[in-house]
Amino acid sequence: MRDFYGTTLSSGLMLGTAQYPSPAILAEAFQRSAASVATVSLRRESGQDRAGQDFWQLIRDLGVHVLPNTAGCHTVKEAVTTAQMAREVFDTPWIKLEVIGDADTLQPDVFGLVEAARILTEDGFQVFPYTTEDLVVADRLLDAGCEVLMPWGAPIGSGLGLNNVFGLRALRAHFPDVPLVIDAGLGLPSQAARAMELGFDAVLLNTAVAKAGDPAAMAKAFALAVRAGQLAAQADPMDPRDMAAPSTPLIGKAFLT
Amino acid sequence: MPDITIIGAGVAGLCVAQALLDRGGRVTVVDRHATAGPHACSWWAGGMLAPFCEGESAEEPVVRLGQEAADWWQAHTHAVHRCGSLVISPARDRADLARFARRTSNFRQINADEIAALEPDLAGRFTSGLFFENEAHLSPRAALAQLRARLEIGGTVFVQADADPDDFAKRGLTVDCRGFQARSDIADLRGVKGEMLMLSCPQITLTRPIRLLHPRAPLYIVPRGEGVFMLGATMIEGRAGKHITARALLELLSAAYALHPGFAEAEVLEIGVDSRPAFSNNLPRIRRTGDLIRVNGLYRHGFLLAPAVARMVADLIFENITPEVMDETAA
């Protein structure tokens, strides 16, 4: 498994911490998901008085790597400021960088993203950029110092799965050594398995688990799917073909009629 | 009959006082403030007695215990309106409405005509909704004032003092109902910030609470009568600061505008910011250590759950029945 800024993760599942019915259910979902990373948003909880510390403590207590994010930031400056605060609060150089370009689709502003990634990398951050599957943008992000890429599967919270399998496959092929994480848009475990089968290193999701009727059970379902997809990718899957290929030899078969 | 001191005159304290009084207890209520006001979380409550709607995200006890609330408040105040509640979504968020329906019960699906019949001012604006006919709402401030008056008539003494429940418990049975103020004594209590607005908009008439579903900024609007509406409420992990954020203000007002553009003409009467006291499962808990009983964690369900929790406190004190929300581990 490719490592993430020198850290090898115990599973290919990263889980968000927003929108759960209660912190107790959040903790149970994490336990059953075997997720290796928890993402947490500081944007809405921000403030001089560190108002969110009770919740942040709960995230730390999950016992997984914390990946703070800049969710909800629409400008480079906002994202950089939020990242700096996150580093202080969680004592980690990791930052999931989101610079949102469109409020309706929550599509990343890739121009601002590259700029913010450069600023943060120079400041010592290890940046996990939320990007599209665009190859040129990916190149620019790597130039800016990113060593991980997080392309979307579909718009955040849409549950549509992998909208552009061709583009994602191309991204994987272009950057064989870069850890790639499908971030956003997954709604079902089968979609997560598909991402892992394509050779992605991890998937990051939140709504699909948090908004399920039984978040803990859905977390387990994703854990199994991610593992299944990962094993499949390692097992060198067969290539599809147009014609039937008999799995038992025809020659020598007894003539029964 | 035992003398019991209750610390805190918010919705929890007053309901516990009434439940104890109803069972023959002699009650003194101690609070830092002389009257109910914006210092209390319950002052800013939406006042929806909507156990079935809450089932969308709350656990089963909220739905079950919350069904006691409307009758209890109706028996003890004149602040209750039993008109049901209405859940709608913009057409593009239809998936959220379907999910809400899957997660809840005791409603019927209604179409555009039925929405128009229930709430004429929403005619032509929404094509489908869920009508929770058996739900109710109340005016929290009126309910608190009426309950307090009723308690005083019943002989309950109100004392204005900054009280330490542990001190009082040395002298007799004490119930700590301070809500988030008890944070320093209850390590696992956390604050969940809520922001809300009171608007005056006489040109719009709504009869019942409306919930407008939205993937990021869900909103409820509760009519307070005479053209006044309460808009709420954000749910943010973290205790409240002093002031509302611009983001919350934008989201609340945009959602209100999406419900009815007439809200653009509303006057903003009040802005509220406060912390709801909550435990990790967002359910209330009753803890007992000797003569000190702590009642807390009513979260966003103060008016909805206080009657049931108060009943359990009375059961515990008078009949030694262990409440279902008793927190044994903490004792």
Side-chain angles (χ1 to χ4, degrees):
Chain A
M1 196 172 164
R2 297 168 189 88
D3 67 48
F4 294 77
Y5 293 102
T7 301
T8 305
L9 298 178
S10 58
S11 89
L13 183 55
M14 303 180 175
L15 207 50
T17 54
Q19 299 182 309
Y20 290 81
S22 70
I25 292 174
L26 184 161
E28 196 193 343
F30 264 82
Q31 201 191 347
R32 295 195 65 190
S33 73
S36 53
V37 172
T39 61
V40 55
S41 159
L42 273 81
R43 192 77 188 104
R44 294 229 55 195
E45 275 81 25
S46 63
Q48 300 297 318
D49 54 351
R50 296 290 158 75
Q53 56 185 316
D54 290 349
F55 187 67
W56 297 336
Q57 188 54 46
L58 199 137
I59 303 297
R60 290 189 202 97
D61 291 345
L62 293 172
V64 299
H65 295 282
V66 177
L67 176 57
N69 72 32
T70 62
C73 292
H74 288 252
T75 66
V76 171
K77 192 175 168 213
E78 269 183 297
V80 168
T81 310
T82 306
Q84 284 161 345
M85 197 174 99
R87 178 163 63 181
E88 238 178 274
V89 170
F90 289 105
D91 193 27
T92 172
W94 282 15
I95 188 74
K96 182 190 150 190
L97 182 61
E98 282 185 29
V99 183
I100 299 301
D102 179 74
D104 252 7
T105 60
L106 299 178
Q107 184 161 347
D109 168 3
V110 294
F111 304 95
L113 185 70
V114 171
E115 190 186 336
R118 178 166 290 117
I119 294 169
L120 290 173
T121 305
E122 282 170 7
D123 193 15
F125 281 92
Q126 296 173 338
V127 178
F128 294 62
Y130 165 61
T131 181
T132 67
E133 68 276 20
D134 190 288
L135 293 174
V136 181
V137 173
D139 244 338
R140 294 282 190 278
L141 287 167
L142 297 175
D143 285 347
C146 296
E147 294 177 20
V148 174
L149 296 173
M150 299 183 115
W152 63 353
I156 294 173
S158 67
L160 290 171
L162 306 179
N163 263 358
N164 180 359
V165 172
F166 166 78
L168 292 170
R169 200 186 272 132
L171 194 71
R172 179 70 286 177
H174 263 75
F175 304 105
D177 301 322
V178 177
L180 298 178
V181 183
I182 294 292
D183 176 11
L186 299 184
L188 287 169
S190 54
Q191 297 160 352
R194 175 86 168 118
M196 298 305 285
E197 286 161 5
L198 290 174
F200 283 79
D201 298 274
V203 297
L204 197 171
L205 49 109
N206 188 340
T207 312
V209 167
K211 287 287 192 183
D214 184 343
M218 190 59 87
K220 177 73 181 173
F222 270 100
L224 294 169
V226 165
R227 188 71 192 123
Q230 201 171 30
L231 280 173
Q234 289 162 0
D236 188 13
M238 64 171 282
D239 289 314
R241 54 194 295 159
D242 290 338
M243 295 296 290
S247 52
T248 48
L250 290 173
I251 296 168
K253 206 171 182 182
F255 291 93
L256 297 176
T257 54
Chain B
M1 278 295 129
D3 281 332
I4 304 150
T5 305
I6 293 167
I7 318 285
V11 66
L14 295 186
C15 284
V16 169
Q18 185 65 54
L20 298 179
L21 188 69
D22 286 347
R23 306 271 276 267
R26 286 212 312 243
V27 182
T28 303
V29 179
V30 184
D31 195 278
R32 293 180 300 153
H33 298 273
T35 54
H39 47 268
C41 191
S42 22
W43 188 256
W44 299 111
M48 292 184 293
L49 304 175
F52 302 111
C53 282
E54 288 301 311
E56 185 256 337
S57 60
E59 301 207 37
E60 181 275 337
V62 174
V63 179
R64 176 167 43 84
L65 299 172
Q67 291 177 48
E68 297 175 27
D71 287 342
W72 194 93
W73 286 107
Q74 196 162 25
H76 292 93
T77 71
H78 306 290
V80 178
H81 303 274
R82 305 189 86 138
C83 315
S85 44
L86 182 59
V87 180
I88 47 183
S89 74
R92 61 178 226 174
D93 296 322
R94 196 74 52 77
D96 291 319
L97 196 65
R99 178 180 182 274
F100 199 97
R102 285 201 307 276
R103 306 274 306 139
T104 54
S105 60
N106 281 52
F107 61 83
R108 59 189 170 87
Q109 307 254 8
I110 59 174
N111 61 25
D113 290 344
E114 292 165 295
I115 292 172
L118 284 170
E119 298 289 358
D121 277 4
L122 298 182
R125 305 194 51 77
F126 297 92
T127 54
S128 61
L130 311 174
F131 182 42
F132 293 76
E133 202 163 0
N134 299 320
E135 295 188 333
H137 67 285
L138 53 66
S139 166
R141 296 175 192 180
L144 288 178
Q146 289 170 22
L147 192 53
R148 186 174 171 130
R150 187 191 175 98
L151 282 161
E152 283 173 330
I153 292 167
T156 301
V157 178
F158 282 82
V159 176
Q160 188 190 353
D162 209 347
D164 178 359
D166 288 291
D167 276 352
F168 275 85
K170 287 173 196 153
R171 302 197 288 274
L173 195 54
T174 302
V175 189
D176 177 1
C177 296
R178 291 175 297 159
F180 195 66
Q181 279 299 316
R183 172 72 171 72
S184 53
D185 294 325
I186 305 178
D188 53 343
L189 194 69
R190 73 184 204 287
V192 180
K193 183 182 182 183
E195 295 150 304
M196 60 293 282
L197 301 174
M198 294 282 272
L199 301 183
S200 169
C201 192
Q203 72 175 81
I204 296 175
T205 304
L206 296 173
T207 308
R208 53 185 61 75
I210 314 284
R211 293 183 190 228
L212 180 68
L213 303 183
H214 184 276
R216 289 191 299 282
L219 168 89
Y220 61 75
I221 293 193
V222 188
R224 290 278 190 260
E226 296 175 354
V228 175
F229 299 89
M230 192 241 169
L231 263 70
T234 56
M235 300 282 291
I236 298 163
E237 288 292 345
R239 68 186 75 158
K242 281 200 188 95
H243 303 290
I244 195 168
T245 62
R247 177 195 299 267
L249 202 54
L250 271 168
E251 284 178 354
L252 288 170
L253 289 174
S254 312
Y257 185 78
L259 185 74
H260 196 299
F263 277 112
E265 305 306 319
E267 290 182 10
V268 180
L269 302 178
E270 292 177 52
I271 296 173
V273 186
D274 214 337
S275 292
R276 309 171 183 89
F279 291 107
S280 68
N281 58 1
N282 292 342
L283 292 175
R285 289 183 195 173
I286 297 172
R287 292 176 175 176
R288 180 169 195 165
T289 318
D291 270 345
L292 180 59
I293 297 171
R294 292 194 201 273
V295 177
N296 218 314
L298 286 164
Y299 184 47
R300 56 179 270 169
H301 302 127
F303 284 84
L304 186 65
L305 295 185
V309 170
R311 168 178 58 75
M312 291 181 213
V313 172
D315 284 345
L316 175 66
I317 290 175
F318 291 101
E319 290 165 55
N320 206 25
I321 297 173
T322 304
E324 72 165 273
V325 297
M326 190 78 171
D327 197 353
E328 306 283 3
T329 54

